[in-house]
Structure formats: C-alpha cells, structure tokens
Amino acid sequence: MRSAATAGRVREARKEQTRARILEAARRAFAARGFHATLMDHVAQQAGLSKGALYVHFPSKEELFLALLDDAAATLVDRITQAIAGAHGGRAKVAAALESALDTFEEHEDLTWVFLVESSGARGPVEQRRWELRAALTDLVRRYLDEAVASGDLPPQDTALAAAVWMGAVSEVVVGWLRQPSRPLRDVVPQLTSLLLRSVGFPDA
Amino acid sequence: MRSAATAGRVREARKEQTRARILEAARRAFAARGFHATLMDHVAQQAGLSKGALYVHFPSKEELFLALLDDAAATLVDRITQAIAGAHGGRAKVAAALESALDTFEEHEDLTWVFLVESSGARGPVEQRRWELRAALTDLVRRYLDEAVASGDLPPQDTALAAAVWMGAVSEVVVGWLRQPSRPLRDVVPQLTSLLLRSVGFPDA
Amino acid sequence: MRSAATAGRVREARKEQTRARILEAARRAFAARGFHATLMDHVAQQAGLSKGALYVHFPSKEELFLALLDDAAATLVDRITQAIAGAHGGRAKVAAALESALDTFEEHEDLTWVFLVESSGARGPVEQRRWELRAALTDLVRRYLDEAVASGDLPPQDTALAAAVWMGAVSEVVVGWLRQPSRPLRDVVPQLTSLLLRSVGFPDA
Amino acid sequence: MRSAATAGRVREARKEQTRARILEAARRAFAARGFHATLMDHVAQQAGLSKGALYVHFPSKEELFLALLDDAAATLVDRITQAIAGAHGGRAKVAAALESALDTFEEHEDLTWVFLVESSGARGPVEQRRWELRAALTDLVRRYLDEAVASGDLPPQDTALAAAVWMGAVSEVVVGWLRQPSRPLRDVVPQLTSLLLRSVGFPDA
DNA sequence: GATGAATGAGAATTCATTCAT
DNA sequence: GATGAATGAATTCTCATTCAT
C-alpha cells in the first residue's frame, strides 16, 4: 500500500503531464489556425482529451494562450542567455545571441508563430502580454548593448532605440521566413549580424 | 428643374460621402478595439448609420477592413514616394523617406494601428493582405537601396534583407511609440536614420 | 394639346404596361427560384425597374405573388372552359378538358410551376389562396362530372371525391414532368384520359 | 459503482432521447407554421431546450427538417408494406395499402403535413428530397401494379403513369382533408379504392 | 412615377464555458 | 479528474419595405 504522500506525488506528476499535453496540443492548434479560429474543441481533440479536461487545467482559452506565450518567451530567453554566456567578446556575444535566436525560431516554428505573429485582437490582455514579453526580450538586448557601450566596444548611443531596431529587424526577417520559407533561416545569420552590428557602430569584421 | 443626369450625379456624390463616412467610422472603431472586438454595430453607431447601410457599401466586415487597409497602405506609399522625390542625393532621400513615414504614422495614429498592429487572426485573408501590403512597402524601400547600390553610394549587399530590416525596425519603433507615446515620434528620426544608414554601410554624416 | 382625359388615358395605359412588365418578370423570377429565394431585387432587375417601382404597383411581395397566382388560375380556367365548350358529348368534353389543361401547363411552364409547385410556406395567405384556386378548379371539374351524372353518361357517385382524384392525378403527372421533362406532356393525354375516365366508370372507348 | 462503459451507454441513451425530443418538437413546430415561419427558437422552446442544443444534434435547420422528412417516409413505407403483406389477392392488397396509407396519414397529421404539404421553397435540397421520397413511394405502388399485371389480374398498361395517378389522387384527397377535416379520412377509403381500382381496369367488386 | 440608399427587425449559427454524471 | 451534452449570449448578415430626391 502506497503512502498518501506517495499517491499525492504520483497524482501531481500525472496532472503535470496532462497539463503539458494540453500545452503541446494548444501550441500546434494555435500555430495552425490562429487564436480566434482555434476552437477549444480543436485543442481538446489535438490533445486527445475532452473539452472539460482543458478547463480543469486552464481557467479559460485566454489563459491557455497566455501560458503558451510565457513558455515561448521563457524558451527564447533561456536559449539566448545561454548562447551569450558561452561566447566571449562583445562581437561574438552579439553574433551568438542572434544565431541562437534564429536557431530557436527555426526549430520551434509553432512557438515562433505564436510569439511573433499570432494575435487575438490587438487590444486585449493577450496582446498586452505579448508586447510585454517582447519588450522584456528587447530589454535583454539593450542590457548587452549597454555593457558593450560601457566596455568601450561601442560608441555611446540610445541603446533602447537600437535594441528596438534589432528586435524589429529580427522579427520581420523571421516572420517573412515563416510566411515564405525559402532558404534555411540560419543562412541569413551572417549578413543579418553584419547589418545589425554596423547599425550600432561596430566596425565590420 | 434638375435633369435626371444631374440628380444621378448628386446621388452618386452622396453615396461616395456615405462610403467615406463608414470608412472613417471603421477606422476609429477598428483602431480602438481591434478587428474581432469591433462589432458592425459599433461601426454603424460610430457612423451614425444603420447596420444595414454598412452592407450597402461593403459586402462584409472583412471587406470593410480590407478597404481600410488598402487606404492606409496607399496613403503611406504616396507620402513616402513624394518625400523621396523631393529630396536630392541618396542619403537625403533615405532620411526624407524615414521622416515622412514616421510623420505619416504620427499623424494618422488610427490608420497606423490598423496597418501595423491590428490583426484578425494571423491566418485569414486579412492578415494575408496586410502582409502583402507590408511586403510591397518593403519592396519600395528595396528599390531605393538598389538604386543607391547601382550609383555606388552603397556597397553591394542583400538589399532585400536590408529592406526587411528597415521595415521591421521602423515598425517596431512606431508600435512601441503607439503603445507608450512618450516624446514625439519625430524626435527619433535622426537617430533612427543614423542607425539604419549605418546598417547598410552608409558612412555616417 | 391633348385633353386632360386623353392624357389620363395614356398614363393609365402606361401604368398598365408597367404592371404587366412586373408581373412577367415576377413570373420568371418566382418560377426560377421559388418564393422565398426570390428577392424583390431579382424581380426588379428582371423587369428592368427599380425596387421602388415594384411597390408603386404592388403593395408587397406577397400581393405580387398572389396576383401571379390569380393570373395563372384565370388563364387555366379560361382555357379549359373554352376547350370544353368546343367539344360535344360527355366523353369528348372530358378529353378536351384534360388535353387543354395539359397543353396549358406545357406551354406556360413558369405559371405552372408557380401554380402547382411553388409555395411560400404552407401556412400563410399565399398557400391559402393557392389552395382556394385549386379548389375552384376542382369544383369546375366536379360540375362537369355532375352534368355527366345528370345526363346518365356516368353512374351516380361522389363527384367531389372524383374531381379531387382527377385534380391530384393531373397535378402529380404534371409536376413529375416539370421536375424531369422526358417526352412531351401531350403524349400522356390519351392514357391519362383513359385512366381518369375509367376511374369514374366511363366505359372504355 | 457503474463502470465507465455503463456510464457511456447511459449517456448515449440519453443523447438519443434528446434527439427524439427535438425531432418531436420539430414535427409539431414545422407542421404548425411551415418551414420558413418556424424559427429554431420555436423548436427549441417546444423541446424545452436551448437553441444551442439543437445544433448539438442537427447541424442545421435544413438537416433537422430533412431528418423529419425521412422519418415520415420511412413510417409510411413500413406501414404500407406491412399492410400489403398481410392481405391476400391483388384487389385486397391494393385496398389494404390504401387503407393503411390513409390510416397512417390520419394518425400522424403532423408528419403528413410535413410530408405532403410543407415546403421550403420548391427549389432547395429539401424539396428535392421530398420529391425523391414521394417518387420512391410511387415506385412502391408501381411495383405492386406490375405484379398485378404479371399475374394477369390487371391488363397491361403504363404502370408508372398509373402509380403517379394514384399517388396524386391520394395526396390530393388527404391534403383536402387536412385543410378541412370533415368526416374521418377512413370513410372515403371504399370509394377511393373503387375509383383507383377502376382507373387501372380492375373489374368492380 | 421612378429611383436606390437607408432602414431595422430579424434569424441562423457559433462557441467559450458549465456541470451533472 | 474526465466527460461531453447543454447553455445562451453574441454576432454577422439578410431583405422586405420606406422615403427623400
């Protein structure tokens, strides 16, 4: 006979599993059809669960989408942070960041679509959160630029503006690729890196 | 006694007026609440017309939004094209283009919101069109960059990529300003211009 | 200078013409798409007039349809009455009636469709009228059967029932032909006549 | 503790019950007001359910009506087929068929109205189906007539035409009774039987 | 009389969410 | 926890009819 505590742990693990399954299904569903066109029915079907089960784990369609968004942002920030940590020197760090970002976008098309493109009407809490997460990412970039300025690798400048430019540039390129995948996204890394580095005044390689 | 032809012309003019009134109302409504949250009721009320009248002039909510989108794009392209024509020299043309774009965005907040932010679910024909219009604008930029490359003002490069970078950068900055208007958008023009020019290899002023 | 009376007569004639034009257009439109699926717009277009003009001549869509129905019934009754008047002898009269009815249906497919098939929801005033007209036609048949009984050509019987049977039989055959025109309707006249005559006890030819 | 399978079966049974309840409500509603004048609201109210529930069981108003139509036709065909099987001899079979048909019509006024009278605009899929079902019933009659001809009980003739005549005749009589119920429908059976038998050349009883 | 833009009361259908089992 | 039938408020689009010109 298992102890109550063990049973509780088992139950919790199973719950977590179901939650992950739903999230996974939601990712596919939302990426495939967009927020509005995706019905809770679609997510449920994709997850192999009933609609009711969705509501056991998430209080609403919106919250489900929000959780997805947070996931996407966290994944992205993790990857980029690690990439930067692994690189040495200002220029290398920037290049690593870009490369890891584009790699992540390329590997996780679904999340990318959700994070960069999908919308639920540009005014609701969902779009608000999406913008905040995007702003957080932009701020991450800004901090590295600030460091580079502090270390003298970069001339003093409006790093917030520069970070926004970088964010917008990357987003545009990625979305363009999502809409019309031609060559692998990786292949534009060198040129995009050059462009962005030049934009902030890094002397060319 | 007015002739039948005159009466016809008068009626036609009035019809055109109503159409414009609806478009105007739609602009406000969509900008305020987004595509999905905006009801035809809202547009009708905003226009001071009945819902039915909307359908006399536009076959569907979607077509109405599309008309709005086309309007926004046409306005923008016109303005930018004129600005560029009025400037002399590669660098000046670029600066003029940017300035006129940002000016237009600043003056027509509603249209800007509709054009750059608003979405109707990223998969439908609306988003498709929005992306096409955006691509057309990007292409306009690319052509000027090509000219600059041809004239030797700019080193040879992937101008399509550069144009996408510019488009994304401007969009990001404008959207950030829309979400949190701080200083006038115009004020960032010089720095944004520098950044973008540097990105393509224009020697700094 | 024309007298007022003349002018009045001219105007009246023109009005009558327009009314006929509308009726003609309505006949085609209703026969083609049915009562509900036919829009006043369709009738107007078919008539080459504006929707408003329709309402000058008919107070409502329903009244327009009713007028059509009355037309169809009147045409039919006229034709049949004349045909009967031109034939001599009980059996010949019946045969002439049937033949003229089927001829009329065949020649005026539109009116036939409107009269025998088209419906506007089986409960409204339109269906009521359609049934009354049909009942009137049935009654016409009954009167001739009564005559035949009175003259001893036919055994005494429930002529109202017999008339209903005839009406239903003819209607069914005609509608079947309308839905799937194969051989000319005329060709079934001899056999149908035999069947119906036999049904009331006429000795076969 | 009920097993999941048992619970499933229970739920399924309940679902079937609801479906039947809706069909029943629809029968009344459509018979009372006709297809177009009947709103889904009416059916829902009649069924004591929400409008949404209707759409859980039937995809559209049209499909609901179609299901009703199929029901009516199946009931009718069953009844007639059984009645014929239970009778012996050509004449008796015909009489039994007619009697059972009229009985069924009399007992199920609602379905009869729906099957013989109600229309949804004579052009749509609904009318198409109604005509097909009617044609199937006519064909059933034709087959028995063919048998009678084959067995020598009836002279050779166009049995398809005769079947149509019978169908139309019965329909007309029934509809007349529906519109103005006087004496019980059963009472006309003997005379109607005589008429129809005579029409195909059966010697009178 | 004719026109056709405008009206407005519908009507069908949708879908996130709930809850009895 | 899971199920899925039921809910019901929401929403787009329709179309007979009106009326200022």
Side-chain angles (χ1 to χ4, degrees):
Chain A
M1 187 176 131
R2 279 192 308 223
S3 75
T6 304
R9 242 174 290 128
V10 166
R11 190 176 302 157
E12 209 172 311
R14 189 165 301 166
K15 179 165 184 177
E16 189 46 48
Q17 239 174 51
T18 306
R19 194 189 135 96
R21 196 159 127 212
I22 293 173
L23 234 25
E24 165 97 9
R27 207 191 61 206
R28 284 189 208 166
F30 284 124
R33 336 176 69 144
F35 182 82
H36 273 104
T38 297
L39 309 187
M40 288 305 258
D41 268 316
H42 296 149
V43 178
Q45 191 154 29
Q46 182 75 235
L49 289 167
S50 74
K51 248 189 301 183
L54 266 42
Y55 284 88
V56 171
H57 296 270
F58 298 91
S60 71
K61 183 183 177 183
E62 193 167 285
E63 287 294 331
L64 175 54
F65 191 80
L66 247 23
L68 213 55
L69 225 42
D70 288 346
D71 250 33
T75 298
L76 199 57
V77 169
D78 270 13
R79 291 286 218 96
I80 294 178
T81 308
Q82 280 173 31
I84 288 173
H88 300 291
R91 199 179 199 284
K93 276 181 187 293
V94 167
L98 268 178
E99 194 168 346
S100 71
L102 293 181
D103 272 9
T104 308
F105 286 133
E106 193 164 21
E107 279 170 40
H108 303 288
E109 270 196 51
D110 284 358
L111 283 181
T112 301
W113 194 272
V114 166
F115 185 63
L116 290 184
V117 184
E118 198 37 62
S119 176
S120 73
R123 292 304 211 195
V126 171
E127 267 322 84
Q128 183 57 32
R129 178 81 67 98
R130 201 149 71 90
W131 182 253
E132 283 164 14
L133 294 173
R134 197 171 175 132
L137 199 57
T138 305
D139 208 56
L140 182 67
V141 173
R142 187 188 57 71
R143 285 203 301 278
Y144 285 108
L145 290 175
D146 279 340
E147 278 183 29
V149 168
S151 70
D153 286 347
L154 234 45
Q157 58 189 291
D158 183 338
T159 53
L161 179 66
V165 164
W166 284 30
M167 185 72 209
V170 170
S171 173
E172 187 82 7
V173 169
V174 171
V175 171
W177 169 80
L178 276 177
R179 294 203 182 261
Q180 213 171 92
S182 42
R183 52 179 175 175
L185 200 45
R186 293 200 60 135
D187 292 2
V188 303
V189 171
Q191 296 169 71
L192 185 53
T193 306
S194 284
L195 266 160
L196 296 186
L197 289 176
R198 278 200 304 259
S199 76
V200 292
F202 254 117
D204 230 329
Chain B
M1 185 179 123
R2 271 199 308 231
S3 74
T6 305
R9 241 173 291 131
V10 166
R11 190 175 290 175
E12 208 172 312
R14 192 159 301 169
K15 181 167 186 178
E16 189 46 48
Q17 249 174 47
T18 305
R19 193 189 135 96
R21 198 159 125 213
I22 293 172
L23 235 24
E24 167 94 11
R27 209 191 57 207
R28 284 186 209 167
F30 284 126
R33 308 167 163 247
F35 182 81
H36 274 104
T38 297
L39 309 187
M40 289 304 258
D41 269 316
H42 297 148
V43 178
Q45 193 152 26
Q46 182 74 234
L49 288 166
S50 72
K51 238 186 308 181
L54 266 41
Y55 286 88
V56 170
H57 296 270
F58 299 92
S60 69
K61 183 182 174 183
E62 191 168 289
E63 286 294 330
L64 175 54
F65 191 80
L66 247 23
L68 214 54
L69 224 43
D70 289 344
D71 251 33
T75 299
L76 199 57
V77 168
D78 271 12
R79 291 286 219 95
I80 293 177
T81 307
Q82 279 173 31
I84 289 172
H88 300 290
R91 199 181 200 284
K93 276 182 188 292
V94 167
L98 269 178
E99 194 169 347
S100 72
L102 294 180
D103 271 10
T104 308
F105 286 134
E106 191 163 21
E107 278 171 40
H108 303 288
E109 271 196 50
D110 284 357
L111 281 181
T112 300
W113 194 271
V114 166
F115 185 64
L116 290 184
V117 183
E118 196 39 63
S119 175
S120 72
R123 292 303 210 197
V126 170
E127 268 321 87
Q128 183 57 31
R129 177 82 66 99
R130 202 150 70 90
W131 181 254
E132 284 164 13
L133 294 173
R134 196 170 175 135
L137 199 56
T138 304
D139 208 57
L140 183 67
V141 173
R142 188 187 56 72
R143 285 202 300 277
Y144 284 109
L145 290 175
D146 279 340
E147 279 183 27
V149 168
S151 70
D153 287 346
L154 233 47
Q157 58 189 289
D158 184 337
T159 52
L161 179 66
V165 163
W166 284 31
M167 187 70 210
V170 170
S171 174
E172 187 83 7
V173 169
V174 171
V175 172
W177 169 80
L178 276 177
R179 295 206 180 258
Q180 215 171 89
S182 42
R183 50 181 176 172
L185 200 46
R186 292 201 60 134
D187 292 2
V188 304
V189 171
Q191 296 169 71
L192 185 53
T193 306
S194 283
L195 265 158
L196 296 185
L197 288 175
R198 276 200 305 260
S199 76
V200 292
F202 253 118
D204 231 330
Chain C
M1 186 178 135
R2 280 195 305 225
S3 74
T6 304
R9 241 173 292 129
V10 166
R11 188 175 305 155
E12 208 172 313
R14 189 165 302 165
K15 179 165 183 176
E16 189 46 47
Q17 238 174 51
T18 306
R19 193 189 136 95
R21 198 160 125 211
I22 293 173
L23 234 25
E24 165 96 9
R27 207 192 61 206
R28 283 187 208 168
F30 284 125
R33 334 176 72 143
F35 182 81
H36 273 103
T38 297
L39 308 187
M40 289 303 259
D41 268 314
H42 296 149
V43 178
Q45 191 155 30
Q46 181 76 235
L49 289 167
S50 73
K51 247 188 302 184
L54 266 41
Y55 284 88
V56 171
H57 296 270
F58 298 91
S60 72
K61 183 184 177 182
E62 193 168 286
E63 287 294 331
L64 174 54
F65 190 80
L66 248 22
L68 213 55
L69 225 42
D70 289 344
D71 249 34
T75 298
L76 198 57
V77 169
D78 271 13
R79 291 288 218 94
I80 293 177
T81 307
Q82 279 173 32
I84 289 172
H88 300 291
R91 197 176 201 288
K93 276 183 188 293
V94 167
L98 268 178
E99 195 169 346
S100 73
L102 293 181
D103 273 10
T104 309
F105 286 133
E106 192 163 21
E107 279 171 39
H108 302 287
E109 271 197 49
D110 284 358
L111 282 181
T112 300
W113 195 272
V114 166
F115 184 63
L116 290 184
V117 184
E118 197 38 63
S119 178
S120 73
R123 291 304 211 196
V126 170
E127 268 321 87
Q128 184 57 31
R129 178 82 67 96
R130 201 149 70 92
W131 182 254
E132 284 164 14
L133 295 173
R134 197 171 175 133
L137 199 56
T138 305
D139 208 56
L140 182 67
V141 172
R142 188 188 56 70
R143 285 202 301 276
Y144 284 108
L145 289 176
D146 280 340
E147 278 183 29
V149 170
S151 70
D153 287 346
L154 234 47
Q157 59 190 290
D158 183 339
T159 52
L161 179 66
V165 163
W166 285 30
M167 187 70 210
V170 171
S171 174
E172 187 82 8
V173 170
V174 171
V175 172
W177 170 80
L178 275 177
R179 293 204 182 259
Q180 213 171 93
S182 43
R183 51 180 176 174
L185 200 45
R186 292 202 60 135
D187 292 1
V188 303
V189 171
Q191 296 169 69
L192 186 53
T193 307
S194 283
L195 266 159
L196 296 186
L197 288 176
R198 277 200 303 260
S199 76
V200 292
F202 254 116
D204 230 329
Chain D
M1 185 179 122
R2 269 196 310 229
S3 73
T6 305
R9 241 174 291 130
V10 166
R11 191 176 290 177
E12 208 172 312
R14 192 160 301 170
K15 182 168 185 177
E16 189 47 48
Q17 249 175 46
T18 305
R19 195 190 135 95
R21 197 159 126 213
I22 292 173
L23 234 24
E24 166 97 10
R27 208 190 60 206
R28 283 187 210 166
F30 284 126
R33 309 167 162 246
F35 182 81
H36 274 104
T38 297
L39 310 187
M40 288 305 257
D41 268 316
H42 296 149
V43 178
Q45 193 152 27
Q46 181 74 235
L49 288 166
S50 73
K51 240 186 307 182
L54 267 41
Y55 285 88
V56 170
H57 297 270
F58 299 92
S60 70
K61 183 183 174 182
E62 192 168 288
E63 286 293 331
L64 174 54
F65 190 80
L66 246 24
L68 215 54
L69 224 43
D70 288 344
D71 251 34
T75 298
L76 199 57
V77 168
D78 271 12
R79 290 286 218 95
I80 294 178
T81 307
Q82 280 173 30
I84 289 172
H88 299 291
R91 199 179 200 287
K93 277 183 187 292
V94 167
L98 269 178
E99 194 168 345
S100 73
L102 293 180
D103 272 10
T104 308
F105 286 134
E106 191 162 21
E107 279 171 40
H108 302 288
E109 271 196 52
D110 284 358
L111 282 181
T112 300
W113 193 271
V114 165
F115 185 64
L116 290 184
V117 183
E118 197 37 63
S119 175
S120 73
R123 292 303 211 196
V126 171
E127 268 322 83
Q128 183 57 32
R129 178 83 66 98
R130 203 149 71 89
W131 182 254
E132 284 164 12
L133 294 175
R134 198 172 176 133
L137 199 57
T138 303
D139 207 56
L140 182 67
V141 173
R142 187 187 55 70
R143 284 202 301 276
Y144 285 109
L145 290 176
D146 279 339
E147 279 184 28
V149 169
S151 69
D153 288 347
L154 234 47
Q157 58 189 291
D158 184 337
T159 52
L161 179 66
V165 163
W166 285 31
M167 186 73 210
V170 170
S171 173
E172 187 82 9
V173 169
V174 171
V175 171
W177 169 80
L178 276 176
R179 294 206 180 258
Q180 216 170 90
S182 42
R183 51 179 176 174
L185 199 45
R186 292 200 61 134
D187 293 1
V188 304
V189 171
Q191 296 168 70
L192 185 53
T193 307
S194 284
L195 266 159
L196 296 186
L197 288 176
R198 277 200 303 261
S199 74
V200 292
F202 253 117
D204 231 329

